[in-house]
Amino acid sequence: MSLANPETSAALTLLSAKAVRERAHRMLAIGLEDRLPNFRIDLDRMDGAIDLVLETTREAYPLFDVPFHSRWRHFVTNGDDRWSAVADRTGWPDRAARARAEFDLAIVSVFLDAGAGPSWHYHDPKSGSSIGRSEGLGLASLAMFTGGAFSAAPLEPLRVDADVLANLGVADLERGMQVSDANPLVGLDGRADLLRRLGRLVASKPEIFGSHDTPRPGGLFDRLAMLAEGGKLPAPTILAELLQRLGPIWPSRLTLGGIALGDCWRHPALTTADATSGLVPLHKLSQWLAYSLIEPLQTSGISVTDIDGLTGLAEYRNGGLFVDTGVLAFRDAEAAQQEHEVASPLVVEWRALTVALLDRVADGLRHRLGRDATSMPLAKILEGGTWAAGRRLARERRPDASPPVKVISDGTVF
């Protein structure tokens, strides 16, 4: 495929955090002119949203020593860091071996965590607790990983092999995720299909995923290590690699010039003069995965730079924060009661506005704290933070802690 093809070149520009941020802020600008079809924006409510984020962050982290918003937070429960307990007693031959295992774990765990729904819970055999949503999905996927569920080598459980993923069945996930009629998990078929697609892709690209081992998702560590210059790697480069290398695994999504665009959708307000007109990239799961790969890279000795080059995450807790604080208001009150497809203009609009408004929250929070983006990057504000505040409001306002926008998801977006 020739990259001289204008559509292909245009498509590749959408596979970046820069494109997510630029188009999200264009959506916000249109909204501030009151020209969006689904939401009105009231910036007078932003101070209240920032107050809540600041209060929520201070309660959880009184010294503001906030960690990054990443998958690794969900492997810690009641101060018990489950992954570190395993990793620290494993005899890794070198730091790269540990990093490959952590890439394996993070990639599979993030792709399994596209929302759990209100009913599902993981019964944690260690603590005896029943844990729902992302925390439960995190512990369940960690238990599957450490138990060797994704490994082709019984004596090497801490790995994910492409061939095992490619043949993963729904029953395998039901068993690992403790799914039953009484404990349903939304989008299970979609998750299993996504992991099978991942396995087939990784197996077909040994030059990317198998340079130091049989093909495995963790082989991407070696690719990123190669791209580091002087031991430094910009965070947006992590995302660009994830989008370009893993893009084909996403089902039934838009393509342009033969390039799969991933978490990218159409909205009539976002017009441009090229082939990308009407397209809104968001890349939520891939960006959360990019955030989740920062710590393994740092542990391996690679310095990750420009962390704020990534954007906020276009997901329902962050987005719910702005609806529940009144920063965003439905034009049609009935839309709040209706269910909406992920591809609908209303959901695309809401998610893009969320990304842009998160930047405004970050600026306001830093101003109040006298911090800069280096000491308080967006990755910490999300964790401290906007995600937690969004969940807090959901719990206060709705019995099932559901988001204020009802989204029909297939298990591969949120």
Side-chain angles (χ1 to χ4, degrees):
M1 183 192 306
S2 171
L3 294 188
N5 179 332
E7 283 198 347
T8 302
S9 299
L12 290 173
T13 68
L14 296 175
L15 302 183
S16 68
K18 180 181 178 183
V20 174
R21 179 166 273 120
E22 286 180 349
R23 298 207 174 196
H25 280 277
R26 280 195 56 201
M27 188 80 81
L28 178 60
I30 295 167
L32 291 175
E33 294 173 356
D34 201 30
R35 293 193 293 117
L36 288 176
N38 299 291
F39 287 96
R40 291 190 176 92
I41 303 167
D42 183 356
L43 288 186
D44 290 341
R45 300 292 189 97
M46 278 294 285
D47 279 346
I50 294 169
D51 286 343
L52 180 65
V53 172
L54 185 59
E55 176 189 323
T56 304
T57 305
R58 183 175 279 125
E59 286 177 3
Y61 304 98
L63 301 178
F64 286 92
D65 51 344
V66 188
F68 292 152
H69 185 63
S70 78
R71 193 46 159 162
W72 304 101
R73 306 292 78 78
H74 297 147
F75 300 147
V76 181
T77 179
N78 296 323
D80 178 14
D81 189 334
R82 303 284 178 86
W83 169 245
S84 291
V86 172
D88 291 347
R89 67 171 184 261
T90 299
W92 307 104
D94 52 37
R95 289 193 293 182
R98 174 170 177 164
R100 289 183 200 107
E102 291 179 335
F103 267 52
D104 275 341
L105 171 57
I107 291 170
V108 168
S109 186
V110 165
F111 286 170
L112 279 173
D113 185 13
S119 302
W120 179 86
H121 287 80
Y122 175 66
H123 179 75
D124 177 27
K126 186 172 182 182
S127 67
S129 301
S130 182
I131 305 167
R133 300 198 180 270
S134 286
E135 290 85 350
L137 289 169
L139 289 179
S141 59
L142 176 62
M144 290 182 72
F145 178 76
T146 56
F150 306 110
S151 172
L155 297 180
E156 294 181 61
L158 304 181
R159 58 181 294 126
V160 174
D161 285 288
D163 290 344
V164 174
L165 282 187
N167 292 289
L168 193 74
V170 172
D172 297 314
L173 285 187
E174 286 178 337
R175 188 164 49 253
M177 295 289 178
Q178 302 176 351
V179 174
S180 66
D181 290 343
N183 194 34
L185 179 64
V186 299
L188 195 64
D189 289 354
R191 292 168 216 252
D193 183 56
L194 188 66
L195 290 185
R196 285 193 296 269
R197 287 170 179 262
L198 173 64
R200 290 195 294 268
L201 176 76
V202 169
S204 73
K205 300 285 185 183
E207 70 279 8
I208 299 295
F209 298 100
S211 60
H212 283 77
D213 202 344
T214 54
R216 54 191 289 197
L220 191 63
F221 165 76
D222 298 292
R223 166 75 182 172
L224 291 175
M226 184 182 71
L227 294 175
E229 296 184 5
K232 295 181 179 181
L233 182 70
T237 300
I238 302 172
L239 178 65
E241 282 295 305
L242 288 172
L243 293 173
Q244 292 185 40
R245 303 302 170 190
L246 302 182
I249 73 174
W250 300 105
S252 306
R253 300 281 172 79
L254 299 174
T255 61
L256 181 63
I259 301 291
L261 299 180
D263 184 7
C264 181
W265 313 89
R266 296 193 183 278
H267 192 285
L270 261 292
T271 56
T272 63
D274 65 2
T276 68
S277 187
L279 296 177
V280 183
L282 296 162
H283 305 312
K284 181 263 170 176
L285 272 179
S286 295
Q287 289 212 77
W288 193 41
L289 179 53
Y291 280 123
S292 299
L293 296 182
I294 290 173
E295 288 158 88
L297 285 162
Q298 291 174 328
T299 301
S300 79
I302 294 171
S303 174
V304 178
T305 59
D306 191 19
I307 293 173
D308 260 27
L310 299 176
T311 77
L313 302 183
E315 54 83 54
Y316 61 84
R317 292 305 183 205
N318 290 321
L321 168 69
F322 298 115
V323 176
D324 281 337
T325 55
V327 176
L328 296 178
F330 291 98
R331 283 194 182 276
D332 177 3
E334 290 185 3
Q337 306 307 319
Q338 298 164 349
E339 292 190 330
H340 305 274
E341 297 283 352
V342 172
S344 69
L346 183 145
V347 172
V348 176
E349 190 175 306
W350 174 48
R351 297 180 71 205
L353 291 171
T354 295
V355 170
L357 290 169
L358 286 169
D359 280 344
R360 292 204 171 207
V361 169
D363 289 342
L365 195 70
R366 290 169 187 145
H367 178 73
R368 295 186 190 191
L369 292 173
R371 301 280 191 100
D372 59 16
T374 302
S375 63
M376 186 59 76
L378 188 56
K380 294 187 176 184
I381 292 169
L382 294 171
E383 177 64 22
T386 59
W387 189 90
R391 173 185 268 188
R392 173 179 173 177
L393 286 176
R395 283 175 168 162
E396 290 173 356
R397 297 181 179 220
R398 289 168 293 278
D400 61 356
S402 60
V405 180
K406 301 180 190 302
V407 181
I408 303 167
S409 179
D410 63 0
T412 64
V413 177
F414 291 116

